[in-house]
Structures are given as C-alpha cells and as structure tokens.
Amino acid sequence: MSVGSSLQKSVYPWWSRWLPLSVMDRYIVSELIPPFLFGVGAFTSVGVSVGSLFNLVNQVVEKGLPLSIAFEVLLLKMPEFIVYSFPTSVLLAMLMTFSRLAGDSELVALRGCGVSVYRLVLPTLAFCLVITGLTFLFQESIMPAANYRASTTLERALGDEKPDFQERDILYQEYRTVATPEGGSENTMARLFYAKRFNGTEMQGLTILDFSRDGLSQIISAKTAQWDIAEGLWQFRDGTIYVVSEDGSFRNIVKFDQQNLQLPRTPLDLANRRRDYNEMNIAQAMEQYDLIKDSGNEGRIRELRVRIHQKFSLPFICVAFGLVGAALGLQLRRTGRATGFAISILIVFLYYLSAFMSGAIAQAGYLHPLIGAWLPNVFGLTMGLLLLVRSSR
C-alpha cells in the first residue's frame, strides 16, 4: 500500500471512497459533518428541554406521572425536534466550516488555484439536498407516528385518555357548486348532517337536511344509523323521511324500520379522526382535506391547505440555510461554536417568524396557501444567492 493511499484513508471517512467527489469536495463535506452533528445534538436538546421537558417535569411533580412514562414520552417527542434541528444544524455547519476555512487562509489558497466561490459551494449544495431528503423522511415516516403515540401514552398514564372518535354532536355541512342566473357559479349547501351521539360504530339521534335535488328537499330523522362497508351506504333504522316541495309544503311522509340511503361517508370519517397536524403525514393531511373541502368551513380548509404546503416547504429550507450559512461563513473569520450558534439562532428565529406571519396571512385568505408556505423559502434563497454573489467579488 502506498503512502498516498494510506494517508487518504486516514484523512477522509470511509464513505468518501464510494462517492464520485473530488478531493476538495470530500474534504469540504468531511468538514461539514462534525459541526452538523454537533448542531443536531445541541438544537434537539434545547428544543426538547423547552418544548417537552419542563411540561413533563410539571406532570411528574403535580399529577404523579411515572418517571418511566415521562422518559418514554420524552423519547417519542425527540423526532419532532430532530426534524426542526436539521435545517438549523445545516446553517451552523456552513457558518463554522467556511469561517474556519477563511480564518486558516485555506480559502485564499483555493482561490489562488483558480477555484471560484461557486465551485466551493457546490459540494455544500449536494450536502444540503441529502439533509433535505433526510428531513422529509423523518417528517413523513417517523415524526407523525411518534407524536401520536406520545399523546396517547401521556393521556393514558394521566387517566385523560380520549376515544379515537368524537362522541357527541357530529356536524357536517356539504356544499355544491351551482350555476347562477347571471351565468356565474356559487356554492350552496347540499346537505346538513347532524348526529347527537356516536359510540364508535353507530350514530344515534340523526337529522339530515338534504337539498341536493332541485325543487325537492328531504328531512331524514332516525334513531340510529350505521355505515355498511360492503354496500357502501348508510343503514338508517327507526326513522321518518319528510319530502318537502319547493313551496315549503310537505309532499310526502314515509316512516321506516330500516332504510338504506346513498349519503356520503364523510361524517363517519370526520368523527373517527382526531389527530393534530403534527400527528399527520402529508397523505393523512390530504385525506383530511378531501373530507372537509366541501364542508363550507373556509377557515379550516385554508388552514389545512397551508399546513400541507408547509409540510412540503419545510425540508427545503435546508438549501436556503445552506446558501446563507456558506455566504456568511465566507465573510467571517474563524467563527467559534458560540458565535456560530448565536448567529444560527438569530437567523432561524427570523425565518420562523416570517414563516408564521406568511402562514397566518395565507390562512386569513390574503395570500394563496402555496405562496404563504413557500414565501420564506424564496426569501431565504434570494438572500443566500445575493450574499454569495457579494462574497465572490
């Protein structure tokens, strides 16, 4: 074995032999990994402490929560804070790595060899894309299930366990789009579904107002109703159907012991779903959106649409943070961990503040949900590119 090959194996990590990267690229990526891992550990610890630990300690002291349960819940909450720590750790790694390279005059040597700033940043973009994929994986596959289990475990231990369904007052409004005499269109109510109680399989005390037929309305009242999975319809029992004409008079009254009706399954699905946003992945959130998109609850619909777009946009902030961190690091001189940590916290605070404000404006209906979710990312990418251009001069 030659001295050069043995030196290369001792300097670069094992994975570098399997990636088609130049010596400079491997060196930069290997310099990024230690501060990135430090950032993940540090920011996750801070997030867990502020977001969960204090509350769990309070539950242990005041409500007698067993320490074993508290520790389990703490571990289950960690994936959520790891997801949030990935972008911040990318920013910290870029700041510390490029400021150290600048402070040790390694960047001067590389620039003297004809390496441009854009070429230096190229391996960091690949690193950011890998972390983006990792963030998306944690956010979709690990975090929702862990958060849901943490909530149910804590509720069960404290005796506050809630059923996985809404027990009372299930209300669902279904809307449809109809043409107006002026040639336009408007949303009008098609059905109003109300059930007084629900035991998990059977609804009780039902009243349905059906306006889906032009010139004819129905009022359906029943003691119980159950969804028939095989037939794909509702089985109403012990009820009455009132058929109302367009002039408001009763046209027909039909009493029944059992009646199968073709009504949407949506009220049952809504009653069976009680997960929070952080307990749903994108597929579950989109399924929830399909359930409420015709309900007429515009505020809830806009909020869910913004949340779905934010689930897509959050992982990609790693790229924006990578550009900003690299550009700032090129202009700093040997930034220590404390300084890099402080700058990272400031930038992350500004990002999440802008994300909160743009999301709130989108939920209020003044911005499209797509724009409200992606606007902070676009702003971060623009700032990163501008700082990078300035650093190259």
Side-chain angles (χ1 to χ4, degrees):
M1 180 181 298
S2 65
V3 176
S5 61
S6 62
L7 179 61
Q8 183 176 350
K9 290 185 177 181
S10 63
V11 173
Y12 302 115
W14 62 269
W15 49 263
S16 64
R17 300 194 301 270
W18 305 99
L19 294 177
L21 300 175
S22 67
V23 174
M24 182 190 71
D25 294 336
R26 286 181 286 175
Y27 176 69
I28 293 176
V29 173
S30 64
E31 289 292 309
L32 288 172
I33 292 177
F36 171 77
L37 295 178
F38 166 78
V40 171
F43 289 117
T44 300
S45 300
V46 172
V48 169
S49 299
V50 175
S52 297
L53 184 60
F54 295 150
N55 179 58
L56 289 174
V57 170
N58 183 60
Q59 301 284 5
V60 170
V61 174
E62 294 188 0
K63 297 186 178 181
L65 180 69
L67 287 175
S68 60
I69 299 297
F71 184 70
E72 180 183 355
V73 172
L74 193 65
L75 290 179
L76 289 170
K77 294 295 292 183
M78 286 188 69
E80 178 180 2
F81 295 103
I82 290 175
V83 167
Y84 294 134
S85 73
F86 280 156
T88 313
S89 301
V90 167
L91 176 61
L92 178 65
M94 298 298 171
L95 280 171
M96 295 180 61
T97 298
F98 280 93
S99 64
R100 189 200 66 77
L101 293 175
D104 290 346
S105 299
E106 295 184 34
L107 291 180
V108 176
L110 290 171
R111 296 293 298 274
C113 295
V115 181
S116 67
V117 169
Y118 305 109
R119 180 61 183 85
L120 284 171
V121 174
L122 191 59
T124 67
L125 290 178
F127 179 80
C128 292
L129 290 175
V130 171
I131 303 303
T132 296
L134 190 62
T135 305
F136 194 83
L137 177 64
F138 265 75
Q139 178 186 266
E140 289 300 294
S141 301
I142 301 176
M143 186 187 80
N147 281 346
Y148 183 71
R149 183 175 174 183
S151 299
T152 55
T153 300
L154 186 60
E155 290 172 358
R156 191 180 303 114
L158 296 176
D160 298 331
E161 186 176 8
K162 301 175 183 178
D164 293 332
F165 51 86
Q166 184 177 342
E167 294 181 284
R168 288 182 174 273
D169 298 326
I170 295 92
L171 180 65
Y172 174 70
Q173 296 170 298
E174 182 184 357
Y175 284 74
R176 62 172 179 162
T177 302
V178 297
T180 61
E182 294 79 14
S185 62
E186 64 178 0
N187 288 333
T188 61
M189 184 179 293
R191 294 186 184 92
L192 176 64
F193 185 106
Y194 173 78
K196 190 173 184 180
R197 288 181 297 274
F198 180 50
N199 61 12
T201 57
E202 184 181 72
M203 291 191 176
Q204 302 169 355
L206 296 102
T207 301
I208 295 93
L209 306 181
D210 190 348
F211 310 108
S212 59
R213 301 179 183 178
D214 294 332
L216 192 67
S217 301
Q218 291 187 112
I219 303 174
I220 304 169
S221 176
K223 286 189 176 180
T224 63
Q226 193 170 8
W227 178 259
D228 189 331
I229 299 177
E231 298 293 332
L233 44 77
W234 285 94
Q235 291 183 348
F236 283 78
R237 297 182 181 87
D238 196 4
T240 305
I241 300 177
Y242 303 89
V243 181
V244 183
S245 300
E246 192 172 7
D247 59 2
S249 61
F250 284 108
R251 181 173 174 178
N252 197 9
I253 299 177
V254 179
K255 291 185 177 291
F256 60 85
D257 294 324
Q258 178 173 325
Q259 182 75 31
N260 295 335
L261 297 175
Q262 292 281 357
L263 295 176
R265 178 194 162 97
T266 308
L268 179 63
D269 292 331
L270 285 174
N272 276 320
R273 283 162 170 76
R274 299 179 60 89
R275 291 198 175 196
D276 189 59
Y277 294 115
N278 291 329
E279 298 171 356
M280 295 187 292
N281 56 29
I282 292 176
Q284 292 168 332
M286 294 185 71
E287 183 180 355
Q288 184 75 6
Y289 172 74
D290 289 337
L291 293 176
I292 69 170
K293 65 182 181 181
D294 296 325
S295 66
N297 189 347
E298 293 299 327
R300 173 87 167 110
I301 293 171
R302 283 197 302 269
E303 183 181 9
L304 189 54
R305 289 182 65 190
V306 171
R307 297 283 186 162
I308 291 173
H309 286 297
Q310 286 176 336
K311 285 181 177 292
F312 283 105
S313 66
L314 176 63
F316 286 94
I317 194 58
C318 294
V319 178
F321 279 0
L323 285 176
V324 172
L328 288 177
L330 288 168
Q331 302 178 37
L332 299 176
R333 291 284 180 179
R334 202 169 184 83
T335 300
R337 288 188 177 182
T339 305
F341 197 83
I343 296 175
S344 300
I345 290 178
L346 177 61
I347 294 176
V348 169
F349 172 76
L350 293 175
Y351 165 75
Y352 281 113
L353 178 63
S354 63
F356 172 78
M357 293 178 62
S358 64
I361 294 173
Q363 290 178 25
Y366 296 106
L367 279 178
H368 190 278
L370 179 65
I371 298 176
W374 285 90
L375 187 60
N377 290 31
V378 174
F379 178 75
L381 284 171
T382 303
M383 289 300 299
L385 291 173
L386 292 176
L387 288 172
L388 196 61
V389 171
R390 181 181 177 183
S391 299
S392 65
R393 293 174 181 174

